[in-house]
Amino acid sequence: MMVLAVLVKSRLVILWYVVIGLMIVNLAIMAAAGQMAHWCRQKQWDEFNNAANKWQKVEGLPFAAIINDCGKTHQVSPELIAAVIQAESSFRPKAVSPAGAYGLMQIIPGTWEDVNRRTGICSASHGGSCTTACYFDPKLNIMIGTAYLREMLDLFQGDAVLAVAAYNAGPGAVQKHKTIPPYRETREYVVAVIANSYALAGKEPLYSKAIIDWERAAITGKTAMVCLIGGAILLAGALKRRYRSWRWR
């Protein structure tokens, strides 16, 4: 019986060290998966930035002529403008968001007024204050939205990823975090604009599958770590009861 008890104890100790070893290995895998996801995402962002800073005329899209003209006026790639419009309104000129953003490029009245004050784009076409008729006008909406997008590109020194994030979350949030803000809506928005840009260019999104796979690996690692920690806690309790002490031999 004593031999059996010793054997059980030793097996518990061995299992304890196995679990600890698995936790260390799992931490390494999680770190590697996180780094690979970050590397793939950065490579995709670099390619998107390179494409966004090149002139890419659009054709065969709703309001293509307006998009190309606005892009030329404000020196913003029409392809980037179209990618933003697709993400914002799916090319619906009278779209209204729950947050009160209007039109093709989903501009809130406060932003519209600020951009119009600096550029005179809308006020030059009428007297008095801007109204929903202005917001829903495709040309005015794209002109104001493109001017604002140009301002974001200038603010973030041509970094289209940060400019797109700022277009959604506001420049203050991007400046505060010095990257895409940790808001689910903004992160999903940036992913959507990048995907739209690739689709408009007729290209497959590079690294997208790799990013998803590495992120899944990291999430799986976190789940496994929770299970291993739970197992370690149970083992520690069993060893404590066996040895009647925290000193295990």
Side-chain angles (χ1 to χ4, degrees):
M1 291 294 292
M2 185 171 291
V3 173
L4 182 60
V6 171
L7 186 59
V8 170
K9 287 181 179 181
S10 63
R11 283 184 175 177
L12 283 174
V13 173
I14 290 170
L15 188 55
W16 166 261
Y17 285 114
V18 168
V19 170
I20 296 301
L22 287 173
M23 289 172 68
I24 294 170
V25 171
N26 192 61
L27 278 172
I29 292 172
M30 286 170 57
Q35 285 298 316
M36 288 302 299
H38 175 76
W39 183 84
C40 291
R41 192 180 298 107
Q42 191 61 56
K43 294 293 288 184
Q44 185 183 70
W45 289 356
D46 289 344
E47 187 183 55
F48 171 69
N49 276 326
N50 289 335
N53 284 286
K54 293 178 182 176
W55 181 263
Q56 299 290 339
K57 185 178 180 181
V58 294
E59 295 178 344
L61 294 175
F63 314 108
I66 297 174
I67 292 170
N68 289 326
D69 287 344
C70 291
K72 184 177 181 180
T73 299
H74 296 284
Q75 289 301 293
V76 178
S77 174
E79 202 168 83
L80 177 59
I81 301 169
V84 169
I85 292 173
Q86 178 66 47
E88 289 285 358
S89 66
S90 297
F91 290 93
R92 293 178 293 119
K94 292 193 176 182
V96 181
S97 77
Y102 292 85
L104 288 164
M105 297 192 75
Q106 289 291 278
I107 307 165
I108 62 174
T111 300
W112 183 288
E113 291 172 9
D114 289 342
V115 175
N116 184 50
R117 191 181 306 113
R118 290 189 290 270
T119 63
I121 289 170
C122 189
S123 55
S125 66
H126 63 76
S129 301
C130 297
T131 65
T132 52
C134 303
Y135 307 152
F136 291 143
D137 182 284
K139 184 173 183 179
L140 288 173
N141 192 283
I142 296 173
M143 282 290 282
I144 291 284
T146 302
Y148 185 57
L149 188 56
R150 177 71 263 169
E151 290 178 0
M152 295 302 98
L153 287 165
D154 290 341
L155 180 62
F156 295 103
Q157 301 177 348
D159 190 322
V161 173
L162 295 185
V164 167
Y167 191 94
N168 176 264
V174 177
Q175 289 172 321
K176 176 183 176 181
H177 295 282
K178 296 182 174 59
T179 185
I180 299 175
Y183 312 146
R184 181 176 179 181
E185 177 190 337
T186 302
R187 291 186 178 278
E188 290 178 351
Y189 176 80
V190 172
V191 169
V193 171
I194 291 174
N196 293 341
S197 177
Y198 275 104
L200 287 166
K203 295 171 19 180
E204 288 293 324
L206 287 179
Y207 303 103
S208 287
K209 186 177 184 304
I211 292 169
I212 292 170
D213 289 344
W214 284 116
E215 285 180 340
R216 282 177 178 169
I219 292 169
T220 301
K222 289 179 182 178
T223 304
M225 182 59 70
V226 171
C227 295
L228 287 168
I229 290 172
I233 291 170
L234 291 174
L235 274 171
L239 284 163
K240 172 70 164 52
R241 289 190 296 273
R242 287 283 180 184
Y243 287 95
R244 297 185 177 86
S245 168
W246 290 111
R247 297 180 65 186
W248 307 328
R249 299 178 180 84

